[in-house]
Every structure is written in C-alpha cells, then in structure tokens.
Amino acid sequence: MFYNNQLYKEDLLNCIENNDFTKLKDTNILITGASGMIGSLIVDTLLYSNELLNLNINVFALGRNKTALKKRFLSNINNPKLSFIIKDINKALTTNIDFDYIIHAASNAYPYAFSIDPVGTMMTNINGVNNLLNYGKSHNLKKFLFVSSGEVYGQGDNEVKAFDEDYYGYVDITNPRSCYPNGKRAAETLCISYYNQYGIKTVIARPAHTYGATATKNDNRAATQFINNIINNEDIVMKSNGLQLRSYCYVADCVSALFTILLKGKEGNAYNVANKKSNITIREIAQTLTTLYNKKIIFENPSDVELKSFNPVSQSVLNAEKIENLGWQAKYNIEEGLKRTVTILKEI
C-alpha cells in the first residue's frame, strides 16, 4: 500500500528532512486518529525516520477500529516499534505508558459527519483533549500537539485578506454544523487552560483545507471527491458554484508543518498551516484537475443532507507567516500536490 510506494516515500522523506527528528530519539509517541488522513501519514513518517536514522522511536497508533488500523499499516504490521491502542478517545486512557509526546489528530473532519453526528463531532474534540491531557498530567508528558482546524476563524471580514492567529471571525452557534469549529475552539481553550493551570506544554496547529492520497473513504470534502472522480475516470461533479476561496495544503506539507510545531513551536501558541501558493476557489481546484486529466465539470443539485453540511464561510485564507518564521515552507503548490495525489492513488 502507501508505505511501499516510491512517491509516497518521497513525501515521508520530505517531512523528515525538514525537521530535526533526532530530538525524538528513544521516545514514546502517541498518535490519535492514526488511521485518518493526517494521523496515518504521521505514523508512517515516524516509522520511516526509525529506518533512516535508527531513532528507536516507539510509535503508538490509537484508533477505534482494530481492523482499520491493521489494514492501513499492513506493511508495518510486524514492526516492533509500532503498537496499536484500540480506544474511543471519548473514554479515559487505561494504559500505563509514559508518552513523551502526544499528537492528537482524532476528529470527525468531513462534512457528512457534521450533519449526521454533530454531538459526537463536538464532544470528541472536547473529551479527547481533556482525557489525553489529564492522562499526560500524571504520566510525565513532555509536549502535547493538538491538531485543530482553520475553521476556528469562522466567517471573517472579507476585507481581511488572510487570517492571523489572533484574528477570529463569526461562527453561528445556532447552526448544527458549528459543532466542528466550536468543538475545536473549546478544545484549544482547554489546551491553553491545562498549560496555564498545570504547566503541561501544549501547542496548537490550525491546518488549512488539507488534501492528499491518504484521505479516508468516507471523506466527502469537495477536493477529495474531485480527486476520486479523476481516479474513477469520471467527469468532476460540483454541487455548488464553487466560488468559496480557501487556503489549501498538501497532506505531506501539512505533516511536515506539524512536526515543526511539535519540535519548535512555543508552548501556549497556535500556528496556522497553509501554503501561500495554494489560495484558490473550489471551482479552480476542479478546473485544475479537468485541465490536467482532460475531463469536464458537471453541476448537480446537492441533496438536503449535503446542503446541511456545506461550509457557510465564503473566504478562509490563512496567514502562515508565523510557522514560516520557525523555518517551515510548503513544498508543493496546488497543481503539484494534486498530481502527486492522483499518481500515488493510481499506483497503489
């Protein structure tokens, strides 16, 4: 699968070369949401860093579904440095392992889940952070990285060209879809509260709209669906005018940024993760793919369920200057990232 694909290995190598992974030598690292788009690439990057640099990192991949974890990490199923923890993060951890680092990437992150399970979406963010930090408080945790979302900014003033980390727009708290941005907002406050009250070093990442080959099968975000259309040799189906302006980030660039935040980020701080060369509309993503793969765009009316899950924000551009000041740079623009995604999926 992914781990044995040459192009995917290049992505893993890029994450490693952009950061000083020797600082993670001989540590225990827990990754939640380990079978998800971002979490699974984090796990693979750590395992590959062990191969390349002999770092002796013990990687603990946490997820709710043992079958999904085994399938996703089949290439490393017998790797002694990889352990699975089968757990619903809404419940307290019952292991007795001292994790040096926790990277919390478990969350419903696709619109369909927001519409069918708004309560679970919101509470998983809050309960997950609370359970993990409470565990770390008594188990010598060195640092906690929370993978939040650029959606915390809500609908900003369209005169603001890009959101800095200290800018916050409007979120309609009476809209059930707000379960996601408000869940992330509350969880971020909880991270800072644990840092201020208990001294646990926490850092926060706010990824832009992320895409890549590791997207899960139930991911119904627009960019992922467009990519699936291409993989299936179909025309691209759009269910809106696609004029919403977004920051996008290729998943390997995102993971590279997460390690930069973990290793260099200042505790108590949040960092945007975005590619300044990939600020485009949803329609422009569709047009890029149709140009690259000789397809056309077909417009369809969305279903009622799809309408409920649509992001109402018209413009969501993130300023990545703060993380760039830590030395991070995105490598792939939108066209390059889309081509890598399609190539990897076709090859595997």
Side-chain angles (χ1 to χ4, degrees), residues 238-239 299-303 306:
M238 286 192 62
K239 299 190 177 183
F299 290 90
E300 288 184 2
N301 291 324
S303 67
E306 288 169 331

Side-chain angles (χ1 to χ4, degrees), residues 295-338:
K295 296 296 179 182
K296 61 178 181 289
I297 297 173
I298 297 173
F299 290 90
E300 288 184 2
N301 291 324
S303 67
D304 290 341
V305 172
E306 288 169 331
L307 274 174
K308 288 180 181 179
S309 66
F310 280 5
N311 188 341
V313 176
S314 61
Q315 178 173 309
S316 181
V317 176
L318 310 186
N319 183 355
E321 184 176 341
K322 186 174 179 180
I323 189 174
E324 288 173 350
N325 288 337
L326 297 180
W328 176 82
Q329 287 286 337
K331 186 171 183 178
Y332 300 109
N333 63 30
I334 193 72
E335 182 174 319
E336 294 166 332
L338 290 171

Side-chain angles (χ1 to χ4, degrees), residues 172-190:
D172 179 4
I173 60 176
T174 64
N175 182 342
R177 196 203 176 282
S178 297
C179 62
Y180 184 64
N182 279 332
K184 291 293 191 182
R185 282 182 167 192
E188 286 194 19
T189 303
L190 200 53

Side-chain angles (χ1 to χ4, degrees), residues 216-318:
T216 57
K217 296 297 183 184
N218 52 7
D219 189 337
N220 70 321
R221 285 173 286 193
T224 299
Q225 293 306 303
F226 298 164
I227 291 165
N228 288 340
N229 289 146
I230 297 300
I231 296 300
N232 296 328
N233 196 29
E234 301 166 345
D235 291 321
I236 285 181
V237 179
M238 286 192 62
K239 299 190 177 183
S240 73
N241 60 18
L243 298 181
Q244 305 94 322
L245 181 64
R246 305 279 187 254
S247 288
Y248 286 87
C249 193
Y250 181 57
V251 66
D253 280 334
C254 177
V255 168
S256 170
L258 295 182
F259 280 113
T260 297
I261 296 168
L262 180 71
L263 295 169
K264 293 183 179 180
K266 183 179 179 181
E267 53 267 22
N269 274 243
Y271 296 85
N272 289 337
V273 178
N275 185 344
K276 59 190 174 186
K277 297 180 181 178
S278 296
N279 297 327
I280 63 172
T281 65
I282 293 173
R283 178 179 288 187
E284 286 172 325
I285 287 186
Q287 290 170 336
T288 300
L289 284 166
T290 54
T291 300
L292 287 172
Y293 298 101
N294 194 29
K295 296 296 179 182
K296 61 178 181 289
I297 297 173
I298 297 173
F299 290 90
E300 288 184 2
N301 291 324
S303 67
D304 290 341
V305 172
E306 288 169 331
L307 274 174
K308 288 180 181 179
S309 66
F310 280 5
N311 188 341
V313 176
S314 61
Q315 178 173 309
S316 181
V317 176
L318 310 186

Side-chain angles (χ1 to χ4, degrees), residues 150-164 167-172 185 245-246 311-318:
E151 286 207 28
V152 297
Y153 295 112
Q155 175 63 58
D157 184 341
N158 285 342
E159 296 300 313
V160 178
K161 299 304 180 184
F163 300 150
D164 297 324
Y167 178 87
Y168 296 97
Y170 168 76
V171 175
D172 179 4
R185 282 182 167 192
L245 181 64
R246 305 279 187 254
N311 188 341
V313 176
S314 61
Q315 178 173 309
S316 181
V317 176
L318 310 186

